Amino acid sequence: MVQIVGLTGGIACGKSTISKMVGSYKAASVFVVDADEVSHRVMETDKGVINKVREAFGGHKGVMREDGGVNREALGEIVFADPSARKTLVKITQGPIFMGLVKEIVKGVMLRKDLVILDIPLLFETKIFTYICEATVVTSIPYQMQLDRLIARNHYTKEHGEQRIAAAMPTSQKEKLATYIIRNDGTLKETEQQVVKILDLIRSNKRTVSPLRVFIAFILLVSGGMATAVYRLLF
């Protein structure tokens, strides 16, 4: 029976690297549902979403690219600074992103993969996705390393980097909610060893997930929870 596992972590904590390691796990077949990839695809290909973003934010300089697409970075700066704009964007994108995630989860189950990994930045913030997870894993690094990586990667000022980190649930709180923690402040080999060990443990501790439980979980997903945090999946 398929095992559904949630993977999350703070910004610049190396979750993408760990997600790739999980996808390369040799002891079982793995299907990774990448929430960032789904949200990016929606913003790039969903004409309805693009048109609504143009209507709502097209007046802001740089939001729309010359090719008619959305400049996610420029839009992200707007919604990060303006709660009203954030709510508008969530209203536009929540439905398509939700449906994209559900389709990917169902695809993994239908392919009869051993592990379906839900790589979702806001796994604990939305809470409801955890209802279908047999276990949850959080990637963690010390705060200063997180800030340094974010500044180097996104070319932020120190103040902007601190604001971005502060806007999300603290990593320490995520650690308390997670089943397993991956300390990602060492070498890649050390991180990979942790990944394999944790996946081995999950595989050896299978729990039965009834169809009813899955059905109830998706009903909860439909009822809400995604809307308050969708913008962070986009940016």
Side-chain angles (χ1 to χ4, degrees):
M1 181 177 290
V2 64
Q3 291 177 282
I4 300 178
V5 179
L7 173 64
T8 191
I11 187 172
C13 284
K15 183 175 61 62
S16 296
T17 298
I18 290 173
S19 181
K20 292 178 181 177
M21 291 179 179
V22 170
S24 300
Y25 181 60
K26 303 298 183 182
S29 58
V30 179
F31 186 88
V32 178
V33 177
D34 188 332
D36 285 331
E37 186 177 295
V38 170
S39 63
H40 294 180
R41 186 163 62 242
V42 165
M43 292 295 283
E44 288 294 329
T45 65
D46 190 310
K47 293 182 179 179
V49 168
I50 294 171
N51 288 337
K52 289 178 181 178
V53 168
R54 182 183 295 108
E55 292 173 5
F57 301 100
H60 294 272
K61 184 178 179 181
V63 169
M64 302 307 298
R65 304 194 304 258
E66 290 185 4
D67 63 3
V70 178
N71 182 334
R72 292 176 54 256
E73 186 173 332
L75 182 57
E77 292 302 319
I78 293 170
V79 300
F80 178 73
D82 184 352
S84 177
R86 189 182 311 158
K87 289 180 181 178
T88 298
L89 181 62
V90 166
K91 186 176 180 180
I92 292 170
T93 59
Q94 61 178 329
I97 289 177
F98 168 74
M99 289 307 301
L101 289 171
V102 170
K103 287 178 180 177
E104 289 298 302
I105 293 170
V106 171
K107 184 188 298 183
V109 173
M110 294 300 291
L111 288 172
R112 298 181 179 275
K113 296 294 185 178
D114 297 316
L115 292 168
V116 174
I117 308 297
L118 308 187
D119 180 352
I120 301 177
L122 299 175
L123 182 71
F124 294 128
E125 287 88 337
T126 57
K127 297 182 181 179
I128 42 185
F129 276 107
T130 60
Y131 283 95
I132 58 174
C133 291
E134 184 165 326
T136 55
V137 182
V138 65
T139 66
S140 177
I141 59 175
Y143 176 83
Q144 189 58 51
M145 179 180 287
Q146 181 184 13
L147 179 60
D148 291 343
R149 286 184 180 180
L150 181 59
I151 291 172
R153 187 188 73 183
N154 292 37
H155 308 291
Y156 287 157
T157 63
K158 182 174 182 290
E159 182 181 8
H160 194 179
E162 290 172 339
Q163 290 174 344
R164 283 282 180 163
I165 293 174
M169 179 187 291
T171 300
S172 58
Q173 187 175 347
K174 292 186 178 185
E175 289 181 7
K176 293 176 183 178
L177 296 172
T179 315
Y180 302 100
I181 302 169
I182 294 176
R183 304 292 180 188
N184 193 29
D185 55 349
T187 65
L188 285 174
K189 184 175 181 180
E190 289 171 337
T191 298
E192 188 171 15
Q193 289 173 340
Q194 292 180 72
V195 169
V196 171
K197 182 178 180 180
I198 287 172
L199 292 179
D200 285 345
L201 284 171
I202 292 172
R203 291 290 293 154
S204 65
N205 292 306
K206 293 182 180 180
R207 297 186 301 177
T208 300
V209 181
S210 70
L212 178 60
R213 179 183 170 194
V214 174
F215 175 74
I216 292 173
F218 279 116
I219 292 298
L220 289 171
L221 286 172
V222 173
S223 68
M226 280 293 288
T228 58
V230 165
Y231 86 99
R232 288 182 193 161
L233 289 179
L234 292 167
F235 309 104

